[in-house]
Amino acid sequence: MKEKEIRASLLEAFVIKSTVKQKVYANTLQTFKILKKVLKSLEKEYHSIIKDQVTHSSLPAFRERGPFEVEFEVGGDLLIFSMHSNVFEFDNKSPILKSDYIQDDPLRSYCGMINIYNFLADSFKYSRQQDLGYLVARIFINKDNHFFVEGKRQTEENVKSFTLDTISPGVIRQIVETAIRYCIEFDLLVPPYDAVKLATVEQMQEKIIHSKMTTGKRLGFSFNADDV
């Protein structure tokens, strides 16, 4: 192949991939907009159901943190929904790549990603920078607006889901409420004694013992992908 033909081939591949990635990004951004609408709707709905049962400060709250990040606080839990601005490809060992859906069109494997993290609300309230948060789910969206989700108590049929499912407000709500339910049931445990048995004079004098003591829902315990 001549140099000119090689260059033309490379440019063609660049244009194709760039076009696909732009489409993936647009679909992911639209999904994130749907996600925000779902969270706002849940906030309003939850308020109407429990407003007479809890104090105003304990009511679920939706807040925007930026163009690619929103948070939903419920009880002592804070769920942060974060859209990544880049487009990803799967590892060559992923079963997703072996599906007929991807084999028919490899460009379908390029995906945008929205992560769902769980933190303690007090970690941000009191600026406890060392506190731990956990990735509880992540949503992948491709150029066809097909998606799959992996995470705590989410569907395990990733390949089948990716082949068949498309984004809609209904499925986003199901994903979100599954994550919320998991976080509410994922309780804070007492830290192991040896992890907190020492404190410095500075910590006590400045009254920041809680800032220095790393807090997480499973401090001292492993948190695995299959931990449900």
Side-chain angles (χ1 to χ4, degrees):
M1 186 180 292
K2 296 180 181 180
E3 183 178 345
K4 186 176 181 180
E5 292 175 331
I6 293 174
R7 186 180 301 113
S9 178
L10 287 173
L11 289 175
E12 181 182 11
F14 169 76
V15 170
I16 291 173
K17 279 195 174 183
S18 295
T19 302
V20 168
K21 289 182 178 181
Q22 288 173 2
K23 181 62 176 175
V24 170
Y25 176 82
N27 287 346
T28 307
L29 187 60
Q30 180 60 30
T31 300
F32 196 64
K33 290 178 180 178
I34 295 173
L35 172 64
K36 288 194 284 187
K37 289 181 179 179
V38 167
L39 290 171
K40 289 177 182 177
S41 176
L42 285 176
E43 178 191 39
K44 184 177 180 180
E45 184 177 326
Y46 289 175
H47 278 210
S48 66
I49 296 173
I50 64 173
K51 63 181 179 181
D52 298 325
Q53 303 175 45
V54 298
T55 61
H56 180 75
S57 61
S58 299
L59 287 171
F62 166 82
R63 290 181 289 266
E64 295 200 39
R65 296 165 57 97
F68 302 118
E69 199 167 276
V70 297
E71 63 184 36
F72 192 80
E73 184 175 344
V74 53
D77 283 288
L78 186 69
L79 283 81
I80 295 179
F81 300 80
S82 178
M83 172 187 156
H84 206 291
S85 61
N86 294 115
V87 173
F88 295 87
E89 171 68 294
F90 292 98
D91 181 271
N92 57 15
K93 295 180 181 179
S94 171
I96 293 294
L97 299 182
K98 300 176 183 178
S99 68
D100 291 339
Y101 176 66
I102 300 299
Q103 293 293 319
D104 290 343
D105 183 359
L107 294 174
R108 290 170 172 166
S109 64
Y110 287 95
C111 286
M113 183 169 61
I114 298 173
N115 295 312
I116 307 175
Y117 293 94
N118 176 214
F119 287 88
L120 296 169
D122 279 359
S123 297
F124 286 86
K125 182 179 180 180
Y126 298 114
S127 299
R128 297 194 307 232
Q129 302 297 326
Q130 301 303 313
D131 280 8
L132 303 174
Y134 300 95
L135 178 66
V136 295
R138 54 184 182 175
I139 308 167
F140 297 92
I141 307 99
N142 76 354
K143 69 182 181 71
D144 298 336
N145 217 28
H146 280 221
F147 82 97
F148 74 90
V149 58
E150 61 180 18
K152 305 302 181 180
R153 299 180 186 168
Q154 304 289 346
T155 177
E156 295 181 356
E157 298 181 337
N158 290 342
V159 175
K160 181 180 178 181
S161 298
F162 201 25
T163 301
L164 301 175
D165 293 342
T166 56
I167 289 293
S168 70
V171 298
I172 291 296
R173 175 174 176 136
Q174 183 178 355
I175 292 168
V176 167
E177 291 206 290
T178 298
I180 291 173
R181 189 178 305 112
Y182 175 80
C183 293
I184 290 175
E185 295 173 356
F186 180 38
D187 292 320
L188 178 66
L189 296 184
V190 175
Y193 182 84
D194 285 343
V196 295
K197 65 182 180 181
L198 299 177
T200 67
V201 172
E202 179 185 18
Q203 287 173 341
M204 297 304 296
Q205 288 180 334
E206 296 183 8
K207 298 181 180 179
I208 58 171
I209 181 71
H210 294 296
S211 296
K212 294 298 184 182
M213 184 177 70
T214 302
T215 306
K217 288 193 173 184
R218 290 292 186 271
L219 185 62
F221 295 80
S222 61
F223 187 84
N224 302 315
D226 59 351
D227 175 22
V228 297

